[in-house]
Amino acid sequence: MFGSANLNLMIKSARGAARSLVRDFGEVENLQVSMKGFGDFVSKADLAAEESLKADLLGGRPTYGWFAEEGAEISGEDPTRRWIVDPLDGTTNFLHGMPHWAISIALEHKGHIVAGVILDPVKDEIFVAEKGEGAWLNDTRLRVSSRSRLVESVFATGLPFGDRSNIDDSLRDLARLLPRCAGVRRWGAAALDLAYVAAGRYDGFWERGLRAWDLAAGLVILREAGGLAESIDVDGDIFHDGEIIAANSVIFEQFANIIRN
């Protein structure tokens, strides 16, 4: 399906990790779960998926670095390349039996994300992209939406929870945006939010308080589908700041102005 050896390795690794996650999801009530922070959980399934991905990805490319949600960062012999991985994006959805979660894998080369894979095993949807080669959902080429009117547009975000400090910012964002759009969704998996903007299902997405593994794969898929993305801070950096505004190119400026106001 795809020519790149790295991308095929990413797809194979994601599908391998997905098999055990799908089995555990079917028995979610029996999962042993530990508290990782207020409102933020980690399951044995999560950790097992990361180990599976690490074995496959570093087994296939042993000189690459590794940066993932649960385990320690690994500096590879090749300092220019590293895997950025979220083994289970949408952990809380998973643990509550909600079928909206994904495996996210990105490849970074010299500080730039050059390939991304987001696999939603429950819906059998795999979003993939390589820099300069376009973005795909299964066998279909992806393009962002072409909607130009905010009043017809649907946006996604992630709302802070527990003791996170940016609740006021999010409430102000919603107060400005809701009267001017067709709706805002909060589905709890940032990687899929970005993939859905790439697929034209959402017209835009914004969120604060994210990490590189939440963003990396979705960012290259979005951009290869024709979308735009910037930090909420107009002079900022998406990965350093952990925040993003993403949309199709037609409404991006209008949308960004509302969030940045």
Side-chain angles (χ1 to χ4, degrees):
M1 178 178 170
F2 301 100
S4 160
N6 276 332
L7 192 60
N8 279 307
L9 174 61
M10 294 162 74
I11 293 168
K12 181 181 178 182
S13 301
R15 292 202 183 280
R19 285 191 284 271
S20 63
L21 284 173
V22 169
R23 283 195 302 270
D24 286 329
F25 185 68
E27 300 178 8
V28 69
E29 67 275 9
N30 297 322
L31 285 177
Q32 297 181 47
V33 181
S34 60
M35 195 60 108
K36 190 173 64 172
F38 192 96
D40 193 8
F41 303 94
V42 60
S43 68
K44 283 191 172 182
D46 200 337
L47 296 170
E50 181 160 324
E51 287 305 309
S52 172
L53 291 164
K54 183 187 289 187
D56 287 345
L57 292 168
L58 292 183
R61 299 291 184 271
T63 63
Y64 289 13
W66 175 266
F67 186 48
E69 182 171 12
E70 304 302 344
E73 184 174 359
I74 297 172
S75 298
E77 294 175 26
D78 180 352
T80 68
R81 293 178 173 87
R82 68 172 176 170
W83 302 114
I84 301 177
V85 175
D86 190 343
L88 179 51
D89 182 52
T91 306
T92 302
N93 287 348
F94 183 94
L95 296 174
H96 284 259
M98 290 184 268
H100 192 74
W101 48 271
I103 296 165
S104 177
I105 306 170
L107 176 60
E108 182 184 59
H109 182 222
K110 295 182 177 178
H112 299 281
I113 307 302
V114 296
V117 168
I118 297 171
L119 172 62
D120 179 342
V122 177
K123 305 180 191 69
D124 192 26
E125 292 188 331
I126 187 162
F127 302 84
V128 303
E130 281 190 290
K131 192 172 182 180
E133 300 297 329
W136 302 81
L137 166 53
N138 296 342
D139 295 322
T140 303
R141 185 74 178 259
L142 288 183
R143 292 296 299 176
V144 293
S145 76
S146 58
R147 291 185 186 89
S148 59
R149 301 180 64 215
L150 287 179
V151 72
E152 297 172 349
S153 299
V154 171
F155 297 92
T157 192
L159 296 176
F161 53 88
D163 59 356
R164 299 195 177 188
S165 62
N166 54 351
I167 292 175
D168 289 345
D169 288 332
S170 296
L171 293 176
R172 284 191 290 267
D173 294 341
L174 290 169
R176 290 191 298 269
L177 182 62
L178 284 170
R180 300 180 61 181
C181 71
V184 173
R185 305 289 183 262
R186 199 285 194 204
W187 284 8
L192 286 174
D193 287 336
L194 283 165
Y196 279 23
V197 178
R201 296 172 178 176
Y202 294 143
D203 301 292
F205 165 68
W206 86 103
E207 189 169 349
R208 298 174 177 83
L210 296 171
R211 300 295 301 272
W213 50 75
D214 298 312
L215 294 162
L219 195 57
V220 67
I221 293 168
L222 169 82
R223 286 173 168 163
E224 287 299 311
L228 299 179
E230 295 178 1
S231 177
I232 293 176
D233 179 350
V234 69
D235 296 316
D237 175 85
I238 290 171
F239 291 118
H240 180 268
D241 300 340
E243 57 186 37
I244 190 170
I245 301 174
N248 74 48
S249 60
V250 186
I251 65 168
F252 182 86
E253 203 62 41
Q254 302 172 68
F255 175 44
N257 284 340
I258 290 172
I259 301 302
R260 287 170 170 159
N261 183 6

